[in-house]
Amino acid sequence: MANFNFTLAAPHGQSWRDLSRRPAAHSPYADRVTLSVHRDMAELEADWRALDASTLNSLHQSFDWCAAWTRAHDGQLLVVRGAIADQLLFFLPFEVERGHFFRTARLIATEHSNLNTGLFAAEIERVPRDHLARLLSEGVRRALRAHADVVALERTPAVWRGLPHPLAVLPGIANPNASFQLSLAGDMERTIAQLNAKRRRKKMRLSERRLAELGGYDYVVAREPAEAHALLETFFRQKAARLEAQGLPDVFGEPETRAFFRLLINRHREGDSLLELNAIRLKGEHQGRIIAVTGLSRKGDHVICQFGSIDDTIAADSSPGELLFYRVIERLCGEGVALFDFGIGDQPYKRSWSTVETALRDIALPLTLRGYAAAGLHRAVVRAKRVIKANKALYALVQRQRRRWRASAEIAAD
């Protein structure tokens, strides 16, 4: 463990709120913020779980989520801890990826995260913004420059749950994708009244009528681990088949990624769920056939849809994915959930369900001379993706080219 100190405390007799209203040049500081770098999650568990309790900290940086990821992946773990004396301020849990030219520190499991916030204590609000920016830039640079060339803080919100986020003090650029949420209003009728309720109910009745012709269906919530694991394997098969049909790579195909999601099912959080599997299962002639699956994570009153899939070889005209979302949201309305999160990525079904669009930011913090080149490249790639996605014709062209490259690679491999 290494320690790094930074002067950031308020002078005697003044509150942080008073100080935050004054220019930094008029603020003498005497005490110090200590940053320490840790490689062992276990030694931080008690403090980490205390920060988990805040609804403003993403489930994706929770102790159990990160522990499952690190167990499934063989990566270098570095956790930056910030504190003033005995008062914990934040954790930033990183894993270091070693590329051909750069070492990049990313928040753990960023590849499969819908929202990254880091872990901040409420006391972080007392730190003036300019000093917080210096702490998160100069401080993290000194703490990690021996281990990485650049820090990539991706998919971070400028504002979350109506409050400015601490990471917003750092300069960043817009992520090519936003995330989409639906505010739940206590019951299904009031919730869909925010949308086109008449159209939504009509679509649901049509789905049910078409499934009734096949013998009906059950809405399934996996309550036992064995059932959850069976539905997860069904999802892996369905998703792989659909992505292959579209000529796209299977982002869930890596053994480490699949092991991670299996581990989430086996880890339990009191009152919350790391991964809950829901499905539409046919009755009648096709008894037991699963035609739609979704995986949900819950933290307090916030539920995130982590993934979803459908079997489009049967009853595709019944819109089983839409029906599954209707039943999921209907159930959650009665379980104290305030926000249903469809996650990152702009897709028509997400827009049709959502009342909130959350803009996300990417922050590239160079740590070394080589890291400045890495940060510039990162920003250039993000901007290029944003331009491509904003142009439908160009995006379609890129997708077609990706499919051609993938087909050529498969032919060469054979």
Side-chain angles (χ1 to χ4, degrees):
M1 179 183 75
N3 292 326
F4 305 86
N5 296 320
F6 296 88
T7 300
L8 282 175
H12 180 70
Q14 290 183 290
S15 72
W16 281 101
R17 293 191 182 278
D18 290 338
L19 186 59
S20 65
R21 300 189 184 102
R22 297 174 51 190
H26 300 293
S27 303
Y29 288 87
D31 297 331
R32 303 178 85 79
V33 171
T34 300
L35 297 190
S36 53
V37 180
H38 304 257
R39 297 180 182 275
D40 184 4
M41 286 183 62
E43 69 182 27
L44 305 172
E45 182 172 357
D47 283 343
W48 197 320
R49 290 191 182 279
L51 292 185
D52 278 355
S54 171
T55 58
L56 298 179
N57 291 329
S58 174
L59 177 90
H60 294 105
Q61 273 77 67
S62 68
F63 183 88
D64 291 303
W65 188 273
C66 291
W69 181 269
T70 55
R71 181 177 172 186
H73 294 77
D74 183 21
Q76 181 183 359
L77 173 69
L78 295 172
V79 182
V80 179
R81 179 185 188 273
I84 296 177
D86 294 330
Q87 177 60 62
L88 177 63
L89 291 179
F90 64 84
F91 282 137
L92 292 175
F94 295 107
E95 57 181 343
V96 178
E97 300 174 2
R98 294 182 176 273
H100 292 297
F101 304 104
F102 312 115
R103 301 165 299 167
T104 303
R106 285 189 167 88
L107 291 172
I108 292 174
T110 288
E111 183 182 350
H112 284 278
S113 295
N114 287 288
L115 177 76
N116 289 319
T117 62
L119 296 133
F120 290 89
E123 286 73 17
I124 201 72
E125 295 181 4
R126 301 176 182 175
V127 181
R129 287 178 60 85
D130 54 347
H131 293 281
L132 178 59
R134 185 161 60 89
L135 171 64
L136 293 174
S137 57
E138 294 179 17
V140 171
R141 181 179 291 117
R142 294 186 193 180
L144 293 182
R145 63 188 174 190
H147 309 284
D149 297 302
V150 64
V151 167
L153 296 162
E154 299 154 303
R155 304 178 183 181
T156 68
V159 176
W160 181 238
R161 305 301 290 266
L163 297 172
H165 193 268
L167 289 175
V169 301
L170 296 175
I173 60 176
N175 186 281
N177 295 298
S179 64
F180 296 86
Q181 295 85 31
L182 171 65
S183 298
L184 305 194
D187 61 56
M188 194 61 173
E189 287 304 308
R190 284 188 291 167
T191 296
I192 63 173
Q194 305 171 96
L195 310 166
N196 188 331
K198 183 177 180 180
R199 179 178 175 275
R200 191 70 57 187
R201 284 192 292 266
K202 180 179 179 180
K203 196 169 186 178
M204 191 270 290
R205 288 194 298 269
L206 179 61
S207 294
E208 293 199 316
R209 185 162 64 248
R210 287 175 174 169
L211 291 182
E213 295 170 358
L214 295 176
Y217 76 95
D218 288 318
Y219 164 46
V220 177
V221 181
R223 301 299 185 188
E224 298 297 327
E227 185 177 24
H229 279 287
L231 289 179
L232 180 62
E233 299 308 314
T234 299
F235 161 75
F236 288 146
R237 291 193 297 271
Q238 289 180 351
K239 197 68 172 180
R242 190 166 180 83
L243 290 172
E244 183 178 11
Q246 296 173 331
L248 298 174
D250 184 3
V251 295
F252 295 91
E254 293 294 328
E256 296 86 355
T257 300
R258 295 190 172 195
F260 164 62
F261 284 107
R262 291 174 183 131
L263 285 170
L264 291 180
I265 291 175
N266 296 331
R267 298 186 75 95
H268 301 284
R269 288 169 57 90
E270 186 175 353
D272 293 334
S273 174
L274 287 175
L275 189 62
E276 176 192 88
L277 277 295
N278 289 233
I280 296 293
R281 183 175 61 203
L282 294 180
K283 297 195 292 187
E285 179 183 352
H286 301 282
Q287 178 75 34
R289 182 81 170 263
I290 301 295
I291 58 171
V293 181
T294 189
L296 309 176
S297 299
R298 177 171 181 172
K299 181 179 179 183
D301 64 352
H302 179 208
V303 169
I304 300 177
C305 176
Q306 300 292 352
F307 54 70
S309 67
I310 62 170
D311 180 351
D312 55 8
T313 64
I314 184 172
D317 62 349
S318 68
S319 302
E322 284 283 322
L323 177 61
L324 178 55
F325 278 129
Y326 192 100
R327 289 305 182 201
V328 165
I329 292 166
E330 181 180 49
R331 173 175 65 87
L332 295 177
C333 281
E335 295 183 1
V337 174
L339 195 67
F340 185 85
D341 200 326
F342 288 90
I344 191 170
D346 191 348
Q347 295 179 327
Y349 80 89
K350 294 182 182 182
R351 285 194 174 273
S352 73
W353 273 105
S354 298
T355 57
V356 180
E357 180 177 344
T358 300
L360 300 174
R361 305 167 72 243
D362 285 358
I363 299 162
L365 177 64
L367 308 180
T368 65
L369 287 175
R370 183 176 291 184
Y372 281 93
L377 178 62
H378 176 83
R379 296 186 192 105
V381 169
V382 170
R383 290 191 180 103
K385 287 181 179 179
R386 194 165 65 243
V387 169
I388 291 170
K389 290 197 172 187
N391 186 314
K392 292 184 178 179
L394 183 58
Y395 185 59
L397 176 64
V398 170
Q399 291 293 81
R400 287 196 299 272
Q401 188 60 49
R402 286 179 64 187
R403 287 193 286 270
R404 292 193 190 102
W405 287 338
R406 185 167 183 264
S408 298
E410 289 176 349
I411 292 171
D414 291 340

